[in-house]
Amino acid sequence: MHTVIQVVDKDRFDNKELAAASKVLKEGGLVAFPTETVYGLGANALDELASKKIYEAKGRPSDNPLIVHIADTSDLSNMVVELPQKALELAKTFWPGPLTMIFHKSESVPYGTTGGLDTVAVRMPDHPLALALIKYSGIYLAAPSANTSGRPSPTKAEHVIEDLSGKVDMILDGGEVGIGIESTILDMTEDIPVILRPGFITKEMLEAVIGEVQVDQAILKRNQNLNLKPKAPGMKYRHYAPKGELTVFQGAMPFVVKEINKRAKQMTEDGYTVGIVATEETKQEYSYGIVKTIGYRNDAHSIARGLYGVLREFDSLGAQYIYSESFQDNALGNAIMNRLLKAAGYHVVRVD
Ligand code: TXA
Ligand code: MG
């Protein structure tokens, strides 16, 4: 398949630039587009055959449901059978934005989009291009992250091209995304809503609006041996992973740096290509391997933005072993550590 790559300035475009993408979507095709979190791979959410193509292009397991992207809160009523008051309050506060909510689905949403579940995940992305595309085409977009299944999510169009060129009809290149990790997922079908995937919108931010919110046990107890089944089917798969073997080092920073240096030296001497996930504050302290900074330790936003891109860079550099510092585990740091540990297959070394 020939993939059309169209560059669009997200701050200055007119609807004419969306005509070709809109046509593809109306004909049941696939268009990758930027959102504020990561790039998405979009298709008509109400057309089962179109959704199916997403699974094929990504190599995604068919039981892993898709998020439906809308451009107006009123669009919810077409898709859900019950709209809790709390959800409306959250939508008013956080939409458009990086919050996905799960509802009991209506008949208009095909099982091909929800991975066979009776619930549907919906969000309104905070990105001018994504919103304009949904409005102009009049199509709700089923869209997972636009990466090959299992690889780190794409934060720029180049990443999408790397994974999906030749497999999708069109890629809209709207530049780099702002946040860099996927939306928070909140299950609204429970009396007390449950976070199924941490993200930019934190538990505290949600609780400030609707009161008590819980966190899925499978996320809290990050211990694979417990074998807790996550409620978001996608969270059970190895994910966001680079090709090299990623290890996360936890403990006081001086010990972390020392241990990473020690292992990087050993592995380099043994002839392996080693990558180190460092930060602006610590990059000078490493003497072996390929050192990449992911952001500033004291600025979680910069780390979220840098994470997936750096993991992908190590792939293209052929890193066989990747050693990463760990990051603060509060607020946004919670989402960062969730993705990093998943990418590492929970391979953690404690150094104190
Ligand atoms: O920020 C984002 O959410 C990005 C952008 C493109 O919007 N999308 C994204 O989609 O991360 P994806 O498919 O990569 O991750 C969706 C996650 C999966 O873990 C999936 O299992 C879960 O959402 N999910 C979707 N529908 C669900 C449902 N009805 N019940 C439980 N989990 C659901
Ligand atoms: Mg994904």
Side-chain angles (χ1 to χ4, degrees):
M1 178 190 296
H2 174 66
T3 301
V4 176
I5 296 163
Q6 190 184 335
V7 178
V8 184
D9 181 345
K10 73 173 170 57
D11 299 314
R12 240 188 59 198
F13 63 92
D14 61 42
N15 278 342
K16 267 187 272 161
E17 294 176 76
L18 300 175
S22 173
K23 183 162 178 281
V24 169
L25 291 169
K26 282 184 181 145
E27 289 168 356
L30 301 182
V31 176
F33 61 97
T35 79
E36 81 281 32
T37 56
V38 299
Y39 270 75
L41 176 58
N44 184 350
L46 304 185
D47 173 352
E48 191 147 31
L49 290 177
S51 282
K52 274 222 174 89
K53 290 186 194 162
I54 291 179
Y55 290 87
E56 279 162 29
K58 280 185 56 107
R60 180 179 176 102
S62 62
D63 69 344
N64 192 0
L66 307 174
I67 295 173
V68 180
H69 296 67
I70 60 175
D72 199 303
T73 305
S74 66
D75 296 336
L76 268 181
S77 52
N78 297 321
M79 263 172 288
V80 310
V81 285
E82 194 195 331
L83 199 48
Q85 184 58 32
K86 285 179 185 174
L88 288 173
E89 285 165 31
L90 290 174
K92 220 167 116 196
T93 312
F94 297 114
W95 281 1
L99 174 67
T100 295
M101 289 190 273
I102 292 177
F103 304 96
H104 293 292
K105 79 170 193 72
S106 73
E107 275 178 12
S108 64
V109 185
Y111 284 110
T113 297
T114 66
L117 297 178
D118 288 317
T119 52
V120 60
V122 187
R123 91 172 185 103
M124 191 193 298
D126 187 14
H127 193 288
L129 210 51
L131 289 173
L133 182 61
I134 298 165
K135 283 186 192 150
Y136 182 81
S137 64
I139 285 176
Y140 306 141
L141 292 179
S145 49
N147 50 283
T148 298
S149 203
R151 291 206 74 203
S153 298
T155 53
K156 36 180 155 172
E158 288 75 13
H159 299 159
V160 184
I161 294 168
E162 214 171 83
D163 281 14
L164 297 178
S165 188
K167 298 180 178 169
V168 304
D169 299 286
M170 191 170 213
I171 297 170
L172 291 180
D173 179 351
E176 226 168 301
V177 302
I179 292 179
I181 55 174
E182 306 82 349
S183 61
T184 305
I185 300 181
L186 188 64
D187 184 355
M188 300 305 297
T189 66
E190 305 280 351
D191 287 339
I192 299 174
V194 185
I195 294 177
L196 306 189
R197 179 175 73 181
F200 189 84
I201 309 284
T202 63
K203 181 169 187 277
E204 292 69 28
M205 290 160 79
L206 295 167
E207 287 186 330
V209 180
I210 55 163
E212 190 183 358
V213 165
Q214 290 179 338
V215 181
D216 188 8
Q217 286 300 312
I219 297 174
L220 284 178
K221 307 219 168 70
R222 288 188 196 120
N223 186 341
Q224 291 285 290
N225 302 333
L226 285 177
N227 227 354
L228 292 169
K229 195 169 163 225
K231 286 176 73 184
M235 297 299 277
K236 74 174 179 262
Y237 296 108
R238 178 139 190 261
H239 232 136
Y240 322 118
K243 292 175 188 148
E245 189 186 295
L246 171 62
T247 307
V248 179
F249 292 79
Q250 288 185 327
M253 274 320 288
F255 297 127
V256 165
V257 170
K258 195 168 161 221
E259 184 64 23
I260 290 180
N261 262 325
K262 189 178 116 196
R263 295 197 187 207
K265 177 174 190 280
Q266 182 68 56
M267 286 307 198
T268 305
E269 283 170 4
D270 287 352
Y272 294 106
T273 304
V274 175
I276 296 176
V277 180
T279 47
E280 286 299 329
E281 291 92 335
T282 56
K283 64 180 178 191
Q284 310 286 12
E285 298 179 39
Y286 296 103
S287 329
Y288 305 91
I290 308 167
V291 182
K292 297 263 170 212
T293 46
I294 166 178
Y296 291 85
R297 296 196 70 76
N298 60 12
D299 176 5
H301 292 197
S302 70
I303 290 174
R305 242 187 338 264
L307 176 64
Y308 290 140
V310 164
L311 294 182
R312 275 181 182 262
E313 273 185 69
F314 282 134
D315 277 354
S316 34
L317 293 165
Q320 290 147 303
Y321 290 92
I322 304 167
Y323 300 137
S324 177
E325 298 175 3
S326 43
F327 306 97
Q328 270 199 331
D329 211 353
N330 55 13
L332 180 55
N334 192 248
I336 293 167
M337 286 310 291
N338 171 269
R339 306 305 195 277
L340 185 60
L341 291 174
K342 251 181 127 43
Y346 299 89
H347 193 207
V348 175
V349 172
R350 282 213 64 92
V351 290
D352 54 1

